[in-house]
Amino acid sequence: MKKFEYTITDPVGIHARPAGSLVKFAKLLDSTITIEKVGGKSAAATKLMAVMGLGIKQGDTVIVIVEGGDEESNIAAVEKFFKNNL
């Protein structure tokens, strides 16, 4: 299991469009990706409504957990996705 923390910089947080992009991206990987809102709930990154239901806004910190598969390359790819898109 690998994990990293990330503070959301997108002005509108993780709303429908970025959540959809995240779900599509997460489904391409052979690891299980979980997003956990610090001090709150968590959701599988492959479940659109669950990700949107976290209510993540700009300035919120999330913990991204990568389990199984090629964790090393997948966590690097997920971290790059977050930095470029969220």
Coordinates of all heavy atoms in Angstrom, one line a residue:
M1 N 0.8 -1.2 0.0 CA 0.0 0.0 0.0 C 0.9 1.2 0.0 O 1.8 1.3 0.7 CB -0.9 0.0 1.2 CG -1.7 1.3 1.4 SD -2.8 1.3 2.8 CE -1.7 1.7 4.1
K2 N 0.6 2.2 -0.9 CA 1.3 3.5 -1.0 C 0.2 4.5 -0.8 O -0.9 4.4 -1.2 CB 1.9 3.6 -2.3 CG 2.9 2.5 -2.7 CD 4.3 2.8 -2.1 CE 5.2 1.8 -2.6 NZ 6.4 1.8 -1.8
K3 N 0.6 5.7 -0.3 CA -0.3 6.8 -0.2 C 0.4 8.1 -0.2 O 1.6 8.2 0.1 CB -1.2 6.7 1.1 CG -0.5 6.7 2.4 CD -1.5 6.5 3.5 CE -0.8 6.4 4.9 NZ -1.8 6.2 5.9
F4 N -0.4 9.1 -0.5 CA 0.2 10.5 -0.5 C -1.0 11.5 -0.1 O -2.1 11.1 -0.3 CB 0.8 10.9 -1.8 CG -0.1 11.1 -3.0 CD1 -0.7 12.3 -3.3 CD2 -0.4 10.0 -3.8 CE1 -1.5 12.4 -4.4 CE2 -1.2 10.1 -4.9 CZ -1.8 11.3 -5.2
E5 N -0.6 12.6 0.4 CA -1.6 13.7 0.7 C -1.5 14.7 -0.4 O -0.4 15.0 -1.0 CB -1.3 14.3 2.0 CG -1.7 13.5 3.2 CD -1.6 14.2 4.5 OE1 -1.6 15.5 4.5 OE2 -1.7 13.6 5.5
Y6 N -2.7 15.3 -0.7 CA -2.7 16.4 -1.8 C -3.8 17.4 -1.4 O -4.9 17.0 -0.9 CB -3.1 15.7 -3.1 CG -3.0 16.8 -4.2 CD1 -1.9 17.2 -4.8 CD2 -4.2 17.3 -4.7 CE1 -1.9 18.2 -5.8 CE2 -4.2 18.3 -5.7 CZ -3.0 18.7 -6.2 OH -3.0 19.7 -7.2
T7 N -3.4 18.6 -1.5 CA -4.4 19.7 -1.2 C -5.0 20.2 -2.6 O -4.2 20.6 -3.5 CB -3.7 20.9 -0.5 OG1 -3.2 20.4 0.8 CG2 -4.7 22.0 -0.2
I8 N -6.3 20.2 -2.7 CA -7.0 20.5 -4.0 C -6.8 22.0 -4.3 O -7.0 22.8 -3.4 CB -8.5 20.1 -3.9 CG1 -8.7 18.7 -3.5 CG2 -9.2 20.5 -5.1 CD1 -8.1 17.7 -4.5
T9 N -6.3 22.3 -5.5 CA -6.1 23.6 -5.9 C -7.1 24.1 -6.9 O -7.3 25.3 -7.2 CB -4.7 23.8 -6.6 OG1 -4.6 22.9 -7.7 CG2 -3.6 23.5 -5.5
D10 N -7.9 23.2 -7.5 CA -8.9 23.6 -8.5 C -9.9 24.5 -7.8 O -10.5 24.2 -6.7 CB -9.6 22.3 -9.0 CG -10.6 22.6 -10.2 OD1 -11.5 23.4 -10.0 OD2 -10.4 22.1 -11.3
P11 N -10.3 25.7 -8.4 CA -11.2 26.6 -7.7 C -12.5 26.1 -7.4 O -13.2 26.6 -6.4 CB -11.3 27.8 -8.7 CG -10.1 27.6 -9.6 CD -9.7 26.2 -9.6
V12 N -13.0 25.1 -8.1 CA -14.3 24.5 -7.8 C -14.3 23.1 -7.1 O -15.3 22.5 -6.9 CB -15.2 24.5 -9.1 CG1 -15.6 25.9 -9.5 CG2 -14.6 23.7 -10.2
G13 N -13.1 22.7 -6.8 CA -12.9 21.4 -6.1 C -13.1 20.2 -7.1 O -13.0 20.4 -8.3
I14 N -13.5 19.1 -6.5 CA -13.8 17.9 -7.4 C -15.3 17.9 -7.7 O -16.0 17.2 -7.0 CB -13.3 16.6 -6.7 CG1 -11.8 16.7 -6.4 CG2 -13.6 15.4 -7.6 CD1 -11.2 15.5 -5.8
H15 N -15.7 18.6 -8.7 CA -17.1 18.6 -9.2 C -17.2 17.5 -10.3 O -16.3 16.7 -10.5 CB -17.5 20.0 -9.6 CG -16.7 20.5 -10.7 ND1 -17.1 20.4 -12.0 CD2 -15.6 21.2 -10.7 CE1 -16.2 21.0 -12.8 NE2 -15.3 21.5 -12.0
A16 N -18.3 17.6 -11.0 CA -18.6 16.5 -12.0 C -17.6 16.3 -13.0 O -17.2 15.1 -13.2 CB -20.0 16.9 -12.7
R17 N -17.1 17.3 -13.7 CA -16.1 17.1 -14.8 C -14.8 16.5 -14.3 O -14.4 15.5 -14.8 CB -15.9 18.4 -15.6 CG -15.1 18.1 -16.9 CD -15.0 19.4 -17.7 NE -16.2 20.1 -17.9 CZ -16.4 21.4 -17.7 NH1 -15.4 22.1 -17.2 NH2 -17.6 21.9 -17.9
P18 N -14.1 17.1 -13.3 CA -12.9 16.5 -12.8 C -13.1 15.1 -12.2 O -12.2 14.3 -12.3 CB -12.3 17.5 -11.9 CG -13.3 18.5 -11.6 CD -14.4 18.4 -12.7
A19 N -14.2 15.0 -11.5 CA -14.5 13.6 -10.9 C -14.6 12.6 -12.0 O -14.1 11.5 -11.9 CB -15.8 13.7 -10.1
G20 N -15.3 12.9 -13.1 CA -15.4 12.0 -14.2 C -14.1 11.7 -14.8 O -13.8 10.5 -15.1
S21 N -13.2 12.6 -15.0 CA -11.9 12.4 -15.5 C -11.1 11.5 -14.6 O -10.4 10.6 -15.0 CB -11.1 13.7 -15.7 OG -11.7 14.5 -16.6
L22 N -11.2 11.8 -13.3 CA -10.5 10.9 -12.3 C -11.0 9.5 -12.3 O -10.2 8.6 -12.3 CB -10.7 11.5 -10.9 CG -10.2 10.7 -9.7 CD1 -8.7 10.5 -9.8 CD2 -10.5 11.4 -8.4
V23 N -12.3 9.3 -12.4 CA -12.8 7.9 -12.5 C -12.3 7.2 -13.7 O -11.9 6.0 -13.6 CB -14.4 8.0 -12.4 CG1 -15.0 6.6 -12.8 CG2 -14.9 8.4 -11.1
K24 N -12.4 7.8 -14.9 CA -11.9 7.2 -16.1 C -10.4 6.9 -16.0 O -10.0 5.8 -16.3 CB -12.0 8.2 -17.3 CG -13.4 8.3 -17.8 CD -13.5 9.2 -19.0 CE -15.0 9.4 -19.4 NZ -15.1 10.4 -20.4
F25 N -9.6 7.8 -15.4 CA -8.2 7.5 -15.2 C -8.0 6.3 -14.2 O -7.1 5.5 -14.5 CB -7.5 8.8 -14.7 CG -6.0 8.6 -14.4 CD1 -5.1 8.6 -15.5 CD2 -5.6 8.4 -13.1 CE1 -3.8 8.4 -15.3 CE2 -4.2 8.3 -12.9 CZ -3.3 8.2 -14.0
A26 N -8.7 6.3 -13.1 CA -8.5 5.3 -12.1 C -8.8 3.9 -12.6 O -8.2 2.9 -12.3 CB -9.3 5.6 -10.9
K27 N -9.8 3.8 -13.5 CA -10.2 2.6 -14.1 C -9.1 2.0 -15.0 O -9.1 0.8 -15.3 CB -11.5 2.7 -14.9 CG -12.7 2.8 -13.9 CD -14.0 2.9 -14.7 CE -15.2 3.0 -13.7 NZ -16.5 3.1 -14.4
L28 N -8.2 2.8 -15.5 CA -7.1 2.3 -16.4 C -6.0 1.6 -15.6 O -5.3 0.9 -16.2 CB -6.5 3.5 -17.2 CG -7.5 4.3 -18.1 CD1 -6.7 5.5 -18.7 CD2 -7.9 3.3 -19.2
L29 N -6.0 1.9 -14.3 CA -4.9 1.3 -13.5 C -5.2 0.0 -13.0 O -6.4 -0.4 -12.7 CB -4.5 2.3 -12.4 CG -4.1 3.7 -12.9 CD1 -3.9 4.6 -11.7 CD2 -2.9 3.7 -13.8
D30 N -4.2 -0.8 -12.7 CA -4.4 -2.2 -12.1 C -4.3 -2.2 -10.6 O -4.2 -3.2 -10.0 CB -3.4 -3.2 -12.7 CG -2.0 -2.9 -12.3 OD1 -1.7 -1.8 -11.9 OD2 -1.1 -3.8 -12.5
S31 N -4.4 -1.0 -10.0 CA -4.4 -0.9 -8.5 C -5.8 -0.4 -8.1 O -6.5 0.2 -8.9 CB -3.4 0.1 -8.0 OG -2.1 -0.4 -8.3
T32 N -6.1 -0.6 -6.8 CA -7.3 0.0 -6.2 C -6.9 1.3 -5.7 O -6.0 1.4 -4.9 CB -7.8 -0.9 -5.1 OG1 -8.1 -2.2 -5.6 CG2 -9.1 -0.4 -4.5
I33 N -7.6 2.4 -6.1 CA -7.4 3.7 -5.7 C -8.5 4.2 -4.8 O -9.7 4.1 -5.2 CB -7.3 4.7 -6.9 CG1 -6.5 4.1 -8.1 CG2 -6.8 6.1 -6.5 CD1 -5.0 3.9 -7.8
T34 N -8.2 4.7 -3.6 CA -9.1 5.2 -2.7 C -8.8 6.6 -2.3 O -7.6 6.9 -2.1 CB -9.1 4.3 -1.4 OG1 -9.3 3.0 -1.7 CG2 -10.2 4.8 -0.4
I35 N -9.8 7.5 -2.3 CA -9.6 8.9 -1.9 C -10.3 9.1 -0.6 O -11.5 8.7 -0.4 CB -10.2 9.8 -3.0 CG1 -9.6 9.6 -4.3 CG2 -10.1 11.3 -2.5 CD1 -10.3 10.3 -5.4
E36 N -9.6 9.6 0.4 CA -10.1 9.9 1.7 C -10.0 11.3 2.0 O -8.9 11.9 1.9 CB -9.3 9.0 2.7 CG -9.7 9.2 4.1 CD -8.8 8.3 5.0 OE1 -8.6 7.1 4.7 OE2 -8.4 8.9 6.1
K37 N -11.1 12.0 2.4 CA -11.1 13.4 2.8 C -10.6 13.4 4.2 O -11.1 12.7 5.1 CB -12.5 13.9 2.6 CG -12.5 15.4 2.9 CD -13.9 15.9 2.6 CE -14.1 17.4 2.9 NZ -15.4 17.9 2.6
V38 N -9.5 14.2 4.5 CA -9.0 14.3 5.8 C -10.1 14.6 6.8 O -10.8 15.6 6.6 CB -7.8 15.3 5.9 CG1 -7.3 15.5 7.3 CG2 -6.6 14.8 5.0
G39 N -10.2 13.8 7.8 CA -11.2 14.0 8.8 C -12.6 13.7 8.4 O -13.6 14.1 9.0
G40 N -12.7 12.9 7.3 CA -14.1 12.6 6.7 C -14.2 11.2 6.1 O -13.5 10.3 6.6
K41 N -14.9 11.2 5.1 CA -15.3 9.9 4.4 C -14.2 9.5 3.4 O -13.3 10.3 3.1 CB -16.6 10.0 3.7 CG -17.8 10.5 4.6 CD -19.0 10.6 3.8 CE -19.1 12.0 3.2 NZ -20.3 12.3 2.4
S42 N -14.4 8.3 2.9 CA -13.5 7.9 1.8 C -14.4 7.2 0.7 O -15.5 6.9 0.9 CB -12.5 6.9 2.3 OG -13.1 5.7 2.7
A43 N -13.8 7.1 -0.5 CA -14.5 6.5 -1.6 C -13.5 5.9 -2.6 O -12.4 6.4 -2.8 CB -15.3 7.6 -2.4
A44 N -14.0 4.9 -3.3 CA -13.2 4.3 -4.4 C -13.2 5.3 -5.5 O -14.2 5.9 -5.9 CB -13.8 3.0 -4.8
A45 N -12.0 5.5 -6.1 CA -11.8 6.5 -7.2 C -12.5 6.0 -8.5 O -12.6 6.8 -9.4 CB -10.3 6.7 -7.4
T46 N -13.0 4.8 -8.5 CA -13.7 4.3 -9.7 C -15.2 4.5 -9.6 O -15.9 4.2 -10.6 CB -13.4 2.8 -10.0 OG1 -13.7 2.1 -8.8 CG2 -11.9 2.6 -10.3
K47 N -15.7 5.1 -8.5 CA -17.1 5.3 -8.3 C -17.5 6.8 -8.4 O -17.2 7.5 -7.4 CB -17.6 4.7 -7.0 CG -17.2 3.3 -6.7 CD -18.0 2.4 -7.6 CE -17.7 0.9 -7.3 NZ -18.2 0.0 -8.2
L48 N -18.0 7.3 -9.5 CA -18.3 8.7 -9.7 C -19.1 9.3 -8.6 O -18.7 10.3 -8.1 CB -18.9 8.9 -11.1 CG -19.3 10.3 -11.5 CD1 -18.0 11.2 -11.6 CD2 -20.1 10.4 -12.7
M49 N -20.2 8.8 -8.3 CA -21.1 9.4 -7.4 C -20.5 9.4 -6.0 O -20.7 10.3 -5.2 CB -22.5 8.7 -7.3 CG -23.3 8.8 -8.6 SD -23.4 10.5 -9.3 CE -24.5 11.2 -8.1
A50 N -19.7 8.4 -5.6 CA -19.1 8.3 -4.3 C -18.0 9.4 -4.2 O -17.9 10.1 -3.2 CB -18.5 6.9 -4.1
V51 N -17.2 9.6 -5.3 CA -16.2 10.6 -5.3 C -16.9 12.0 -5.2 O -16.4 12.8 -4.4 CB -15.3 10.6 -6.6 CG1 -14.4 11.8 -6.7 CG2 -14.5 9.3 -6.6
M52 N -17.9 12.3 -6.0 CA -18.6 13.5 -5.9 C -19.2 13.7 -4.5 O -19.3 14.8 -4.0 CB -19.6 13.7 -7.0 CG -19.0 13.8 -8.4 SD -20.2 13.8 -9.7 CE -21.3 15.1 -9.2
G53 N -19.7 12.6 -3.9 CA -20.3 12.7 -2.6 C -19.4 13.1 -1.5 O -19.9 13.4 -0.4
L54 N -18.1 13.0 -1.7 CA -17.1 13.4 -0.7 C -17.2 15.0 -0.5 O -16.8 15.4 0.6 CB -15.7 13.0 -1.1 CG -15.4 11.5 -1.1 CD1 -14.0 11.3 -1.6 CD2 -15.6 10.9 0.3
G55 N -17.7 15.7 -1.4 CA -17.8 17.1 -1.3 C -16.5 17.9 -1.1 O -16.3 18.8 -0.3
I56 N -15.5 17.4 -1.9 CA -14.1 18.0 -1.8 C -14.1 19.4 -2.5 O -14.4 19.5 -3.7 CB -13.1 17.0 -2.4 CG1 -13.1 15.7 -1.6 CG2 -11.7 17.7 -2.4 CD1 -12.4 14.6 -2.2
K57 N -13.7 20.4 -1.8 CA -13.6 21.7 -2.3 C -12.1 22.2 -2.3 O -11.3 21.6 -1.8 CB -14.4 22.7 -1.4 CG -15.8 22.2 -1.2 CD -16.8 23.3 -0.9 CE -18.2 22.9 -0.8 NZ -18.7 21.9 -1.6
Q58 N -11.9 23.3 -3.0 CA -10.6 23.9 -3.1 C -10.1 24.1 -1.6 O -10.8 24.6 -0.8 CB -10.6 25.2 -3.8 CG -9.2 25.9 -3.9 CD -9.3 27.2 -4.6 OE1 -10.3 28.0 -4.5 NE2 -8.2 27.6 -5.3
G59 N -8.8 23.8 -1.4 CA -8.2 23.9 -0.1 C -8.3 22.7 0.8 O -7.6 22.6 1.8
D60 N -9.2 21.7 0.4 CA -9.4 20.5 1.2 C -8.2 19.6 0.9 O -7.7 19.5 -0.2 CB -10.6 19.7 0.8 CG -11.9 20.4 1.3 OD1 -11.8 21.3 2.2 OD2 -13.0 20.0 0.9
T61 N -7.7 18.9 1.9 CA -6.6 17.9 1.8 C -7.2 16.5 1.7 O -8.1 16.2 2.5 CB -5.6 18.0 2.9 OG1 -5.1 19.4 2.9 CG2 -4.5 17.0 2.8
V62 N -6.7 15.7 0.8 CA -7.2 14.4 0.6 C -6.0 13.5 0.7 O -4.8 13.9 0.5 CB -7.9 14.1 -0.7 CG1 -9.2 14.9 -0.8 CG2 -7.0 14.4 -1.9
I63 N -6.2 12.2 1.2 CA -5.2 11.2 1.2 C -5.6 10.2 0.1 O -6.7 9.7 0.0 CB -5.2 10.5 2.5 CG1 -4.8 11.5 3.7 CG2 -4.2 9.3 2.5 CD1 -5.0 10.9 5.1
V64 N -4.7 10.0 -0.8 CA -4.9 9.0 -1.9 C -4.1 7.8 -1.6 O -2.9 7.8 -1.4 CB -4.4 9.6 -3.3 CG1 -4.7 8.7 -4.4 CG2 -5.1 11.0 -3.5
I65 N -4.8 6.6 -1.6 CA -4.3 5.3 -1.3 C -4.3 4.4 -2.5 O -5.3 4.3 -3.1 CB -5.0 4.7 -0.1 CG1 -5.1 5.6 1.1 CG2 -4.5 3.3 0.3 CD1 -6.1 5.3 2.1
V66 N -3.1 3.8 -2.8 CA -3.0 2.9 -3.9 C -2.6 1.6 -3.4 O -1.6 1.4 -2.7 CB -1.9 3.5 -4.9 CG1 -1.7 2.5 -6.1 CG2 -2.3 4.9 -5.4
E67 N -3.4 0.6 -3.7 CA -3.2 -0.8 -3.2 C -3.2 -1.8 -4.4 O -4.1 -1.7 -5.2 CB -4.2 -1.2 -2.2 CG -4.2 -0.4 -0.9 CD -5.3 -0.8 0.0 OE1 -6.4 -0.3 -0.1 OE2 -5.0 -1.7 0.9
G68 N -2.3 -2.7 -4.4 CA -2.2 -3.8 -5.3 C -1.7 -3.4 -6.7 O -1.4 -2.2 -6.9
G69 N -1.5 -4.3 -7.5 CA -0.9 -4.0 -8.9 C 0.5 -3.5 -8.8 O 1.2 -3.7 -7.8
D70 N 0.8 -2.7 -9.7 CA 2.1 -2.0 -9.7 C 2.0 -0.7 -9.0 O 1.9 0.4 -9.6 CB 2.6 -1.8 -11.2 CG 4.0 -1.2 -11.3 OD1 4.6 -1.0 -10.2 OD2 4.5 -1.0 -12.4
E71 N 2.1 -0.8 -7.7 CA 1.9 0.4 -6.8 C 2.8 1.5 -7.1 O 2.4 2.7 -7.1 CB 2.0 0.0 -5.3 CG 0.9 -0.9 -4.9 CD 1.0 -1.4 -3.4 OE1 2.1 -1.1 -2.8 OE2 0.0 -2.0 -2.9
E72 N 4.1 1.2 -7.3 CA 5.1 2.3 -7.6 C 4.8 3.2 -8.8 O 4.7 4.4 -8.6 CB 6.5 1.7 -7.8 CG 7.1 1.1 -6.5 CD 7.5 2.1 -5.5 OE1 7.8 3.3 -5.8 OE2 7.4 1.8 -4.3
S73 N 4.5 2.5 -9.9 CA 4.2 3.3 -11.1 C 2.8 3.9 -11.0 O 2.6 5.1 -11.5 CB 4.4 2.5 -12.4 OG 3.5 1.5 -12.5
N74 N 1.9 3.2 -10.4 CA 0.5 3.8 -10.3 C 0.4 5.0 -9.4 O -0.3 5.9 -9.7 CB -0.5 2.7 -9.9 CG -0.7 1.6 -11.0 OD1 -0.4 1.9 -12.2 ND2 -1.2 0.5 -10.7
I75 N 1.1 4.9 -8.3 CA 1.0 6.1 -7.4 C 1.7 7.3 -8.0 O 1.2 8.4 -7.9 CB 1.6 5.8 -6.0 CG1 1.1 6.9 -5.0 CG2 3.1 5.7 -6.0 CD1 1.2 6.5 -3.6
A76 N 2.8 7.1 -8.8 CA 3.4 8.2 -9.5 C 2.4 8.8 -10.5 O 2.3 10.0 -10.7 CB 4.7 7.7 -10.2
A77 N 1.7 7.9 -11.3 CA 0.8 8.4 -12.3 C -0.4 9.1 -11.6 O -0.8 10.1 -12.1 CB 0.3 7.2 -13.1
V78 N -0.9 8.6 -10.5 CA -2.0 9.2 -9.8 C -1.6 10.6 -9.3 O -2.4 11.6 -9.4 CB -2.6 8.3 -8.7 CG1 -3.7 9.1 -7.9 CG2 -3.2 7.1 -9.3
E79 N -0.4 10.7 -8.7 CA 0.0 11.9 -8.2 C 0.2 13.0 -9.3 O -0.2 14.1 -9.1 CB 1.4 11.7 -7.4 CG 1.7 12.8 -6.5 CD 2.8 12.5 -5.5 OE1 3.3 11.3 -5.5 OE2 3.1 13.3 -4.7
K80 N 0.7 12.5 -10.4 CA 0.9 13.4 -11.5 C -0.5 13.9 -12.0 O -0.7 15.1 -12.3 CB 1.6 12.7 -12.7 CG 1.8 13.6 -13.9 CD 2.6 12.9 -15.0 CE 2.8 13.7 -16.2 NZ 3.6 13.1 -17.2
F81 N -1.5 13.0 -12.1 CA -2.9 13.3 -12.5 C -3.4 14.4 -11.6 O -4.0 15.4 -12.0 CB -3.8 12.1 -12.5 CG -5.2 12.4 -12.8 CD1 -5.6 12.4 -14.2 CD2 -6.1 12.7 -11.9 CE1 -6.9 12.7 -14.5 CE2 -7.4 13.1 -12.2 CZ -7.8 13.1 -13.5
F82 N -3.3 14.2 -10.3 CA -3.8 15.2 -9.3 C -3.1 16.5 -9.5 O -3.8 17.6 -9.5 CB -3.6 14.7 -7.9 CG -4.7 13.9 -7.3 CD1 -5.0 12.6 -7.8 CD2 -5.6 14.4 -6.4 CE1 -6.1 11.9 -7.3 CE2 -6.7 13.7 -5.9 CZ -6.9 12.5 -6.3
K83 N -1.8 16.6 -9.6 CA -1.1 17.9 -9.8 C -1.5 18.6 -11.1 O -1.6 19.8 -11.1 CB 0.4 17.6 -9.8 CG 0.9 17.3 -8.4 CD 2.4 17.0 -8.4 CE 2.8 16.7 -7.0 NZ 4.2 16.3 -6.9
N84 N -1.8 17.8 -12.1 CA -2.1 18.4 -13.4 C -3.6 18.8 -13.6 O -4.0 19.6 -14.4 CB -1.7 17.5 -14.6 CG -0.3 17.4 -14.7 OD1 0.5 18.2 -14.3 ND2 0.2 16.3 -15.3
N85 N -4.5 18.1 -12.8 CA -5.9 18.3 -13.0 C -6.7 18.8 -11.8 O -7.9 19.2 -12.0 CB -6.5 16.9 -13.5 CG -5.9 16.5 -14.8 OD1 -6.2 17.1 -15.8 ND2 -5.1 15.5 -14.8
L86 N -6.2 18.6 -10.6 CA -7.0 19.0 -9.4 C -6.3 20.0 -8.5 O -6.7 20.3 -7.5 CB -7.3 17.7 -8.7 CG -8.1 16.6 -9.5 CD1 -8.2 15.3 -8.7 CD2 -9.5 17.1 -9.9

